[in-house]
Amino acid sequence: MKKALNFEKKSSYRLKLSITDSGGWRNRPLIVETWITITVTDQNDAPTCKNSKKGELDEELAIGEVVIADLGGEDVDAITANQFSGFKFNTPKAGSNGLTSADGDFTMAEVGGKWVFKTAKKLDFETLDTDSDGEYKKKYEIYAIDAQNVKSNIMKVTIEVNDVNEIPVNFVDYTIHVDE
């Protein structure tokens, strides 16, 4: 064969096989023909996902708000038992079935047929460790899985948390007395 066969593109091939002899002393070749069918057996192909995704959110965003609306993920498998089934964190929070980040800040879930990345708690910019530019970016690694738990490539997810101008909380009413 010149190339590998792919079940998802074509599951069987029908070929005509001909055998011809030399023709013997009369130099009249005899031909026998038959048809053969080659059936391609499906192998579970790993799902795939993009190498990276970015999201952005304002601090104090409500719990459960979507930060990335579609993580993507796909699987070429034709057999349902081998198809894409979701995403997991490479380093998940213990007991979360792989759907919550180790720090507990984000979760992933299927919403309306798409996998989304959403907040699991409110993030306060002033309490986060910012980088030298005064920005705060959270980085995670996730992967797609299929129904047989075959893993995809790793997707690097970067979430930037924006500082929001907040009303001062320690503002106290003062009375000032001034002499005339």
Side-chain angles (χ1 to χ4, degrees):
M1 281 189 244
K2 290 184 178 183
K3 63 179 182 174
L5 303 179
N6 186 336
F7 179 86
E8 282 72 33
K9 290 185 179 177
K10 192 169 182 178
S11 62
S12 68
Y13 296 83
R14 188 153 164 82
L15 306 171
K16 186 177 185 179
L17 181 65
S18 299
I19 301 173
T20 307
D21 70 5
S22 64
W25 61 274
R26 290 187 170 179
N27 203 19
R28 291 187 200 158
L30 298 175
I31 299 172
V32 175
E33 296 180 337
T34 188
W35 285 92
I36 61 171
T37 301
I38 298 173
T39 303
V40 181
T41 304
D42 189 26
Q43 296 295 312
N44 187 4
D45 300 302
T48 58
C49 60
K50 292 190 176 194
N51 290 328
S52 65
K53 284 266 188 177
K54 292 183 180 182
E56 186 175 340
L57 66 109
D58 290 337
E59 67 173 324
E60 302 296 335
L61 191 65
I63 295 171
E65 290 293 320
V66 173
V67 180
I68 299 175
D70 186 2
L71 291 170
E74 54 188 40
D75 198 329
V76 297
D77 282 310
I79 297 174
T80 304
N82 294 338
Q83 291 178 348
F84 169 81
S85 66
F87 282 92
K88 290 192 176 188
F89 280 93
N90 203 30
T91 308
K93 182 175 184 174
S96 72
N97 293 330
L99 298 176
T100 302
S101 60
D103 59 12
D105 290 350
F106 296 94
T107 63
M108 294 180 291
E110 187 176 11
V111 177
K114 297 184 187 248
W115 278 82
V116 300
F117 203 87
K118 57 187 188 169
T119 57
K121 65 182 180 184
K122 286 185 175 185
L123 298 175
D124 181 11
F125 187 87
E126 285 72 27
T127 63
L128 302 173
D129 293 327
T130 57
D131 61 20
S132 60
D133 295 331
E135 297 178 337
Y136 186 77
K137 294 181 181 171
K138 295 183 119 345
K139 297 180 188 238
Y140 301 97
E141 290 184 347
I142 65 173
Y143 57 88
I145 58 167
D146 69 13
Q148 304 298 321
N149 281 324
V150 174
K151 296 179 180 181
S152 73
N153 55 299
I154 294 290
M155 178 192 295
K156 294 182 184 283
V157 176
T158 303
I159 306 295
E160 185 170 349
V161 181
N162 299 319
D163 190 14
V164 174
N165 189 12
E166 301 159 311
I167 297 171
V169 292
N170 293 333
F171 190 74
V172 179
D173 288 335
Y174 288 98
T175 304
I176 299 175
H177 298 279
V178 179
D179 291 334
E180 27 178 332

